Amino acid sequence: MIHSHPRISKAVIPAAGLGTRFLPATKATPKEMLPVVDKPAIQYVVEEAVAAGLDDVLMVTGRNKRPLEDHFDRNYELESALEKKGDADRLAKVQESSDLATMHYVRQGDPKGLGHAVLCAAPHVGDEPFAVLLGDDLIDPRDPLLRRMIEVQEQRGGSVVALMEVAPEQIHLYGSAAVEATEDSDVVRVSGLVEKPDPADAPSNYAIIGRYVLDPAVFGILRRTEPGRGGEIQLTDALQQLAADERIGGPVHGVVFKGRRYDTGDRGDYLRAIVRLACEREDLGPDFRSWLRRYVTEEMQER
Ligand code: UTP
């Protein structure tokens, strides 16, 4: 069944969290600005939205918003200095982030949770389905996920979450989904969701990761959602209500992702992302890989 609704064109990127796991680096800088090799994590996320056809990006920011806005804006002083030097390569790098998408910003004020951050996007989004990309979740550009989620939303209507199978002892770090198979092997029907469950109460090992395509009915629910786990207004709690009653905003489906994903808000995953992406880079990779090989075989064995 094909549902007729407007083509999805808007991406919302919540980036107003406190980033406490990365203190002190995040004391005066949003964690989304931490570099992954030589680009801030957030630029990968905006590039992913654009690659999936979403060129209207709303960033939900909080304190320390300046670096985020400045990064996606022109920097004439730097541009003219590079022009004078005739450094076309670096000039292109500086201009790349300001030419990517039409950027909009809204401030969350109090960081009252991810659900509250998404609700701040309501006036900009209006009455259309939209995508949400978490600023600290990095999906490898070679493993397109968002495009598939948009396709599933266009085919089936309602909302679509991204799911990834994790080890049972990891599920308490995520939202967990109760699922039923569909005729598409990478798509499941989501019948319930629990935020950060104890492993014994988790409906499955399918964890929700930071990509969503949402029906605008989620805004009405978020307005009524009370603070949940951690005293925060949880997006998962609102999605649970959508999943429990499809008359509200259509069904909730999950796209099962088997590709490479890094949680750059977690220090270990952040380091792994940098090593992996640096190894694969054409410019840095050859030297870095041979250093890494030497480091692992020689120096690590002494520990
Ligand atoms: P996290 O759960 O990673 O929280 O938020 P955090 O505050 O950013 O980081 P830690 O746990 O203290 O280290 C998930 C996503 O939701 C956004 C964050 O910016 C992140 O992208 N968020 C969270 C908001 O925009 N507003 C909030 O009130 C909470």
Side-chain angles (χ1 to χ4, degrees):
M1 184 174 38
I2 305 288
H3 295 253
S4 67
H5 42 61
R7 197 184 68 81
I8 298 171
S9 64
K10 289 180 183 160
V12 173
I13 304 185
L18 295 175
T20 54
R21 285 171 292 169
F22 245 111
L23 284 168
T26 48
K27 183 177 172 191
T29 308
K31 68 175 168 185
E32 290 80 4
M33 284 305 294
L34 296 178
V36 177
V37 190
D38 50 9
K39 259 196 293 197
I42 191 79
Q43 189 175 332
Y44 292 87
V45 178
V46 174
E47 284 171 355
E48 182 192 337
V50 172
L54 313 178
D55 49 16
D56 178 307
V57 176
L58 174 74
M59 209 169 280
V60 183
T61 65
R63 72 201 215 301
N64 305 332
K65 67 160 186 169
R66 274 289 300 275
L68 288 165
E69 290 196 3
D70 287 348
H71 184 71
F72 293 100
D73 200 357
R74 302 288 300 268
N75 183 336
Y76 292 107
E77 213 179 347
L78 186 55
E79 287 176 41
S80 80
L82 291 167
E83 245 160 41
K84 274 197 200 118
K85 278 198 203 168
D87 193 339
D89 281 357
R90 292 200 173 103
L91 180 62
K93 280 186 184 155
V94 168
Q95 289 172 336
E96 207 174 76
S97 53
S98 49
D99 293 342
L100 264 177
T102 310
M103 302 295 298
H104 306 270
Y105 300 90
V106 61
R107 278 188 94 135
Q108 190 184 5
D110 271 344
K112 291 190 222 159
L114 176 57
H116 180 253
V118 170
L119 184 55
C120 295
H124 180 81
V125 169
D127 194 26
E128 321 168 3
F130 63 104
V132 175
L133 295 86
L134 297 197
D136 54 357
D137 236 340
L138 210 151
I139 302 290
D140 196 296
R142 290 160 300 173
D143 301 323
L145 165 64
L146 192 57
R147 193 177 280 278
R148 175 68 181 141
M149 293 173 71
I150 291 171
E151 190 177 80
V152 170
Q153 200 281 340
E154 283 170 353
Q155 286 163 355
R156 297 170 182 264
S159 300
V160 180
V161 297
L163 299 175
M164 198 163 169
E165 208 164 357
V166 299
E169 60 276 12
Q170 294 273 306
I171 195 73
H172 71 280
L173 301 169
Y174 297 90
S176 163
V179 300
E180 294 151 22
T182 70
E183 63 282 8
D184 290 323
S185 62
D186 63 333
V187 180
V188 289
R189 177 74 185 256
V190 175
S191 55
L193 292 162
V194 192
E195 181 63 14
K196 300 195 170 77
D198 289 332
D201 304 331
S204 76
N205 291 330
Y206 282 118
I208 309 178
I209 58 171
R211 299 292 179 269
Y212 309 81
V213 178
L214 300 176
D215 185 276
V218 75
F219 294 131
I221 299 180
L222 283 169
R223 280 189 195 101
R224 297 189 302 271
T225 301
E226 297 288 327
R229 217 185 152 96
E232 298 196 335
I233 297 174
Q234 297 286 357
L235 181 60
T236 308
D237 291 347
L239 293 177
Q240 156 60 20
Q241 289 194 44
L242 285 180
D245 184 355
E246 74 169 70
R247 287 170 305 178
I248 305 173
V252 179
H253 286 92
V255 167
V256 179
F257 181 62
K258 297 206 163 112
R260 288 155 283 194
R261 170 236 174 213
Y262 313 97
D263 173 5
T264 52
D266 172 83
R267 288 170 302 172
D269 240 19
Y270 173 76
L271 294 173
R272 284 186 278 277
I274 292 177
V275 171
R276 228 164 151 161
L277 294 174
C279 281
E280 290 155 7
R281 281 266 297 251
E282 269 176 32
D283 52 349
L284 299 166
D287 274 357
F288 186 65
R289 279 196 305 268
S290 57
W291 171 82
L292 190 62
R293 210 172 287 125
R294 264 198 325 275
Y295 179 68
V296 170
T297 48
E298 293 163 22
E299 296 184 42
M300 293 300 277
Q301 280 177 3
E302 287 160 22
R303 310 215 158 181

